[in-house]
Each structure stands twice: as structure tokens, then as C-alpha cells.
């Protein structure tokens, strides 16, 4: 909750409803729904530090996600490419981490915008509080050490002595629960200073005790100088009503797929959409802000041996117990310790290796990655939208300019490398005409369509014009290797002068005969398709 700068109790209010809902509607045994650093960063862009906006955003996001699930629109997430996701998560890692530096250093009144934040933090670094800085860095060091300890921990075999297995369990539990242990230790240190009459740390402060009231989300915001109506609130959120639901869905499904692959089971993306939508809608009735799948908590679930989504019942119940009885203890948690926990959680999201990988695999994919990464430092929504647009343009370009292989022989063999759609018609016509007429002597053309599985009406019309244009120059155009659906479309179009050969060898013999002045009989009727 400190990331979107809403009162801290809203983080707890957001942490239990998703656990209960996913238990009944989810399809992945490990996934846990709740507030995450990335979703909190998005909420900070559209909630304007107002809990009313954050809760309404959860309700509207849930409605959109629910509608997408009912309409089976989960495939839309496939258009958000991996470079866009990596660019966003890497930028979010840096943005969230630097946003917490002010709490590590004990600084206040630092602007939210990233570049202003960097400038103000560096300008006022001399005002840093020594106590907060020492505690924050110590917590970071402890979290890093515990993480490294867990990653290097060898598995204890059942045949090992009991003492070894118990030691393994203690170390594994300490490393897995490192966030809780660090916060507990920091809280005890802060409480000790409080008892001694001095307090070198900035503390979390009072958090209201008790469960949130179950009531509809607010549809207006009362201000001292008037009321902000529902319509104005929706206009203020703007593109956030698309970005927040989509990124929530993307994060949940990506996590569910990753752990399902490890465990060898399948998930239903549309069912996941329904679960997330219901969780956000019901969560808004208990003052939750938007939630999504949490990678960290899901990993803990998987490593703990959770076998069904019913593990969420335990998680949700513990959060409710904390709200009911433990909030008074949260007063002594230093903000520097919470900042260290957040930084430790988001730093691994920065994937430096993706730049090197894309440079080796496909350098063009660096364009959407870099566009998303850089623009996310300005505004998150601009980075995501720009990255998706750039990826879409690259995808459309590959459709409009499919690879075309041209081979010269008795005839000109033109072989498209993929299906033909309307943006590619002009490119195909130019390639065929320029090569056929430039050959010495000009040659007839065979369009080898073995890689073409579908065409549309614009392509059919373009092929008819190509037939006519070549005929005007005394040349012929024939087809070979047509797949059944494509052949049926072309036969239905009744193209004048249409010739089709089942194989390239027959088309080549026709070309040789054509060049020698005689013709071979091509397959042109529906009855001939049985021979293909």
C-alpha cells in the first residue's frame, strides 16, 4: 500500500478476498491473488493517492475482467509480446525501487514522477536520517543473504539423519519467511528504542484495527469544495481502465501458466479471467484496490507443497486474524524496513539478460523492449501502450511483407513463405511482375503456394489483376501446391486463365512446354482436387 501511497490498511484489505475467491474459481493450485508491487505502481498512476479512486478502480477493473472471461476474450493477451512485458517489468523494478529510496533515507515530500524523484532525492541526500539509512541497508543486506542462502540450499534427502533434515527445515523456513523475519526484527529494534525514550526511525504509525465494512464501492468522492461525480472519476482514470485490467490479467495468467508448466497440469485462461474479475469486484466491497496474481506468494505456495487452491483459505484467514488482532503491533514497523522488503521483492524483476538475448535472437524485438522500458519512466501507461503499438506495427509489417523466394528456370518460381493477406497483395504483384519482365527472355510464372494456408478476397482480386497484367505481356501465371481451402476459394472465384498443378514437378514440365511452344494440361476443375 505504500507504493500507491494509500493508507496502509488498504494493503491488508486487498489481501484476503482474492484468496477466498480463487479457492472456488481458480484452476491453478499454486496461484495466490493479492496486491503486488507492479499492480500497486499502476494504481498509483490512476488513484491519485485517493483510496476512493483505488477502490472504484478495483470494481471497474473486475467488471471488465469478468466481461472478458464471459466473452472468452483471453486471447487478446496474446498480443502483448514478451519484449513489452520484459520492458515494463524491468522499468517497474527500477521505478518501484527508487520510489522506496526516500524511505530508506528517511526523506519526506519527494515527488512521485520518476525523474523529479531522482533529482529531489539526489539534491536532498544530505538530509538523510542516519538511523533509517543504517536500518534500511541492514535489512537489505539480510534479505539478500537469506535469498542467496535459499537459492544455494541443497535438498535434504529422506535418508539423511534427523538432525540434518531438521536443520534443512529451519534454514528453508527462515529463508522463505525472510520478509516476515526482517520486519519482525526491525519492529523489535524500533520498540526497544521507543521504550528507552528515543526513536531514530520513521515508523509506520497507527493502522485502524478491525475488519473492513462490507459495502458497495464508492461512486463519488466528497471534497471540502464539492463532490466529484462518478462520470468525472471515470474520466480521470482514463486509459487506466484498460491498462489495469489487462496487466492484472496478464500477470495472473503468466504466473498460472509458469507454475502449471512446472507441475504438469493445464489451466483455463478464461476461467482465470472469471476468477480474477470476481475477486476484484467482491474485493471492492471490502475496500480493496486492484489485485492480481503474486509471483512471490505463488512461489512460496509451490515450495510449501500446496496441493489445491484451498491453500488460499489459510492465507486469507491469517490476514483476517491480523486485521482483527495484530494491527496495533504494526505501529512499530519502521518504514525503512518495509522499503527494504519492497526493494528486495522487485529487484529480481529486472532482467538485464533480456537485452543480450534479444540481440542474439532477433534484434528487431529490441525496439518494442526499449520503447516500453524508456517510456515507462515517464508514465507507465504510455510505455505499455507504445510498446504494444510498436509490436503491432512489426507484426503487421511481417504480414504485409512476407518472405518471397524467387527461383529462375524454365519458368519463374515464386514461393511465398507464409499465408497471404490483403496488405501483402501489392508486394507480391510487384515482386512477380518485376522479376518476370526483367528476365531474359521474359518468363511465365508459377506461384508455389505450399506454405499458403489461407487467403482473403483482396488477395483473390489482386491475383486476378496479376493474371491479366501478365497476359498483356504474353506471359502466363499458374499455381502449384495449393492447399484444399485455398484451392476451393480460387475455384469459387472463377479466375479467368486459372491453372493449377498438384506438384512443382508438373508445373515445371508445363513451363518447359510453354517455353517450347506447347502446353501441358493443368488441373483446373473441382474433380481434380482428389488427385492432389
Amino acid at each position: 500500500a505504500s507504493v500507491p501511497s494509500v493508507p496502509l490498511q488498504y494493503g491488508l484489505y486487498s489481501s484476503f478476498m482474492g484468496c477466498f475467491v480463487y479457492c472456488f474459481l481458480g484452476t491453478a493450485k499454486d496461484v495466490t491473488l493479492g496486491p503486488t508491487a507492479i499492480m500497486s505502481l499502476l494504481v498509483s498512476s490512476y488513484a491519485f493517492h485517493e483510496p476512493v479512486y483505488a477502490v472504484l478502480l478495483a470494481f471497474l477493473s473486475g467488471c471488465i475482467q469478468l466481461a472478458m472471461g464471459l466473452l472468452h476474450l483471453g486471447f487478446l493477451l496474446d498480443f502483448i509480446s514478451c519484449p513489452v512485458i520484459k520492458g515494463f517489468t524491468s522499468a517497474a523494478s527500477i521505478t518501484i525501487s527508487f520510489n522506496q529510496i526516500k524511505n530508506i533515507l528517511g526523506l519526506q515530500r519527494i515527488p512521485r514522477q520518476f525523474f523529479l524523484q531522482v533529482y529531489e532525492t539526489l539534491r536532498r541526500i544530505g538530509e538523510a536520517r542516519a538511523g533509517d539509512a543504517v536500518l534500511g541497508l541492514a535489512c537489505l543486506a539480510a534479505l539478500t543473504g537469506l535469498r542467496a542462502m535459499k537459492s544455494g540450499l541443497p535438498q535434504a534427502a529422506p535418508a539423511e539423519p534427523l538432525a540434518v533434515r531438521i536443520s534443512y527445515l529451519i534454514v528453508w523456513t527462515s529463508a522463505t519467511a525472510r520478509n516476515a523475519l526482517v520486519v519482525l526484527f526491525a519492529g523489535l529494534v524500533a520498540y526497544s528504542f521507543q521504550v528507552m525514550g528515543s526513536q531514530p526511525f520513521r515508523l509506520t504509525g497507527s493502522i485502524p484495527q478491525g475488519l473492513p465494512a462490507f459495502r458497495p464501492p464508492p461512486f463519488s468522492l466528497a471534497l471540502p469544495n464539492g463532490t466529484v461525480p462518478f462520470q468525472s472519476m471515470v474520466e480521470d482514470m482514463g486509459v487506466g481502465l484498460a491498462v489495469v485490467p489487462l496487466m492484472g490479467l496478464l500477470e495472473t495468467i503468466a504466473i498460472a501458466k509458469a507454475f502449471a508448466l512446472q507441475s504438469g497440469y493445464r489451466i483455463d485462461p478464461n476461467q482465470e479471467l472469471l476468477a480474477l474479475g470476481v475477486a476484484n469486484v467482491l474485493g471492492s466491497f471490502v475496500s480493496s484496490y486492484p489485485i492480481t496474481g503474486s509471483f512471490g506468494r505463488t512461489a512460496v505456495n509451490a515450495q510449501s507443497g500446496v496441493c489445491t487452491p484451498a491453500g488460499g483459505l489459510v492465507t486469507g484467514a491469517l490476514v483476517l486474524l491480523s486485521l482483527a488482532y495484530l494491527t496495533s503491533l504494526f505501529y512499530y514497523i519502521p518504514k525503512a524496513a518495509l522499503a527494504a522488503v519492497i526493494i528486495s521483492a522487485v529487484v529480481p524483476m529486472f532482467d538485464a539478460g533480456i537485452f543480450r538475448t534479444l540481440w542474439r535472437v532477433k534484434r528487431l524485438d529490441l525496439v518494442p523492449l526499449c520503447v516500453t522500458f524508456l517510456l515507462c519512466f515517464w508514465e507507465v501507461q504510455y510505455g505499455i501502450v507504445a510498446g504494444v503499438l510498436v509490436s503491432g506495427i512489426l507484426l503487421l509489417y511481417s504480414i504485409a511483407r512476407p518472405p518471397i523466394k524467387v527461383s529462375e528456370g524454365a519458368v519463374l518460381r515464386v514461393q511465398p513463405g507464409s499465408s497471404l493477406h490483403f496488405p501483402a497483395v501489392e508486394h507480391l504483384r510487384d515482386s512477380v511482375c518485376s522479376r518476370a519482365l526483367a528476365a531474359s527472355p521474359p518468363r511465365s510464372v508459377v506461384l508455389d503456394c505450399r506454405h499458403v494456408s489461407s487467403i482473403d478476397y483482396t488477395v483473390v482480386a489482386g491475383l486476378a489483376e496479376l493474371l491479366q497484367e501478365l497476359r498483356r505481356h504474353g506471359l502466363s501465371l499458374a499455381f502449384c501446391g495449393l492447399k484444399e481451402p485455398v484451392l476451393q476459394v480460387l475455384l469459387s472465384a472463377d479466375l479467368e486463365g486459372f491453372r493449377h498443378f498438384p506438384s512443382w514437378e508438373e508445373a515445371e514440365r508445363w513451363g518447359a512446354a510453354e517455353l517450347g511452344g506447347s502446353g501441358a494440361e493443368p488441373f483446373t476443375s473441382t474433380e481434380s482436387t482428389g488427385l492432389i
Side-chain angles (χ1 to χ4, degrees):
S2 65
V3 175
S5 299
V6 296
L8 297 186
Q9 64 268 24
Y10 283 87
L12 291 170
Y13 295 163
S14 305
S15 298
F16 63 87
M17 185 60 76
C19 300
F20 295 138
V21 170
Y22 197 84
C23 172
F24 298 102
L25 297 179
T27 59
K29 68 181 182 68
D30 303 307
V31 169
T32 302
L33 300 183
T36 66
I38 288 179
M39 185 55 64
S40 299
L41 177 65
L42 292 174
V43 171
S44 72
S45 299
Y46 305 109
F48 315 110
H49 313 311
E50 284 286 349
V52 172
Y53 273 91
V55 174
L56 181 60
L57 184 58
F59 176 77
L60 296 176
S61 297
C63 290
I64 293 170
Q65 291 161 344
L66 196 55
M68 290 180 68
L70 292 172
L71 296 173
H72 291 257
L73 297 179
F75 72 92
L76 292 176
L77 297 175
D78 296 337
F79 289 94
I80 303 179
S81 64
C82 183
V84 173
I85 299 170
K86 288 292 187 180
F88 164 66
T89 53
S90 296
S93 171
I94 296 173
T95 303
I96 294 171
S97 297
F98 206 89
N99 186 49
Q100 297 303 315
I101 294 297
K102 64 179 185 291
N103 291 323
I104 292 282
L105 299 177
L107 301 177
Q108 293 179 297
R109 294 182 297 277
I110 299 294
R112 187 186 67 83
Q113 209 282 332
F114 178 75
F115 296 109
L116 293 176
Q117 200 173 83
V118 173
Y119 172 76
E120 278 295 309
T121 301
L122 295 177
R123 187 179 69 85
R124 296 173 51 193
I125 199 167
E127 303 173 18
R129 294 164 54 105
D132 285 312
V134 170
L135 180 66
L137 293 174
C139 289
L140 273 175
L143 289 166
T144 303
L146 288 170
R147 180 190 296 276
M149 184 188 302
K150 184 178 181 181
S151 63
L153 187 65
Q155 182 71 40
E160 295 280 357
L162 179 62
V164 173
R165 283 182 284 148
I166 292 176
S167 300
Y168 169 82
L169 184 62
I170 292 173
V171 174
W172 181 88
T173 303
S174 300
T176 302
R178 58 187 176 272
N179 291 346
L181 290 177
V182 166
V183 169
L184 179 62
F185 172 78
L188 290 174
V189 171
Y191 179 75
S192 301
F193 276 104
Q194 188 83 3
V195 169
M196 291 188 296
S198 63
Q199 188 53 263
F201 312 124
R202 290 180 58 229
L203 303 181
T204 298
S206 299
I207 295 178
Q209 186 166 334
L211 304 180
F214 190 84
R215 60 191 177 198
F219 292 98
S220 62
L221 173 62
L223 296 174
N225 57 349
T227 300
V228 181
F230 174 72
Q231 182 179 353
S232 297
M233 294 178 72
V234 171
E235 291 174 355
D236 291 341
M237 294 176 190
V239 71
L241 293 176
V243 172
V244 171
L246 285 176
M247 290 308 299
L249 294 174
L250 184 65
E251 204 172 351
T252 300
I253 291 178
I255 291 170
K257 283 183 176 180
F259 283 90
L261 185 64
Q262 289 180 5
S263 303
Y265 61 87
R266 295 178 62 83
I267 65 162
D268 181 353
N270 291 304
Q271 185 65 31
E272 293 293 306
L273 298 183
L274 290 174
L276 184 59
V278 172
N280 272 314
V281 169
L282 292 181
S284 68
F285 282 74
V286 290
S287 301
S288 165
Y289 66 81
I291 61 174
T292 183
S294 165
F295 187 87
R297 289 191 290 276
T298 299
V300 170
N301 257 2
Q303 293 160 1
S304 302
V306 168
C307 297
T308 72
L313 295 176
V314 179
T315 306
L318 287 172
V319 175
L320 290 177
L321 288 173
S322 299
L323 274 167
Y325 301 110
L326 300 179
T327 51
S328 59
L329 301 179
F330 298 159
Y331 178 92
Y332 297 102
I333 298 177
K335 289 188 175 183
L338 288 179
V341 168
I342 293 172
I343 292 173
S344 174
V346 299
V347 162
M349 295 191 309
F350 182 80
D351 187 359
I354 190 63
F355 295 90
R356 184 172 59 255
T357 301
L358 291 183
W359 181 262
R360 292 199 314 266
V361 175
K362 188 177 181 183
R363 295 177 184 179
L364 198 58
D365 282 339
L366 284 169
V367 178
L369 173 72
C370 293
V371 167
T372 305
F373 179 75
L374 295 174
L375 287 183
C376 277
F377 290 117
W378 178 25
E379 286 290 347
V380 171
Q381 64 272 25
Y382 297 153
I384 296 171
V385 172
V388 171
L389 287 176
V390 171
S391 292
I393 291 171
L394 295 178
L395 175 64
L396 291 174
Y397 183 81
S398 67
I399 295 173
R401 296 292 182 269
I404 296 177
K405 181 181 178 181
V406 180
S407 306
E408 294 189 11
V411 290
L412 203 66
R413 182 186 185 185
V414 178
Q415 190 176 21
S418 62
S419 292
L420 295 174
H421 301 285
F422 64 91
V425 175
E426 291 302 320
H427 176 58
L428 177 65
R429 286 179 58 186
D430 292 344
S431 299
V432 171
C433 290
S434 61
R435 294 296 294 270
L437 299 178
S440 181
R443 294 171 189 168
S444 295
V445 178
V446 174
L447 198 58
D448 187 345
C449 298
R450 67 182 63 190
H451 300 303
V452 178
S453 58
S454 64
I455 59 174
D456 54 40
Y457 173 75
T458 307
V459 174
V460 174
L463 291 175
E465 294 175 5
L466 181 59
L467 279 164
Q468 294 175 6
E469 186 169 352
L470 290 174
R471 193 179 300 116
R472 285 196 298 269
H473 291 87
L475 303 175
S476 300
L477 172 65
F479 298 82
C480 76
L482 287 171
K483 298 183 185 296
E484 181 69 21
V486 179
L487 178 60
Q488 292 300 330
V489 169
L490 292 174
L491 290 174
S492 301
D494 196 21
L495 298 179
E496 184 180 351
F498 173 73
R499 294 185 180 90
H500 170 242
F501 298 93
S503 66
W504 160 246
E505 290 73 18
E506 294 182 63
E508 192 173 29
R509 287 199 298 271
W510 164 81
E514 182 92 354
L515 193 62
S518 61
E521 184 64 28
F523 292 92
T524 58
S525 64
T526 307
E527 288 75 22
S528 68
T529 59
L531 302 175
I532 298 174

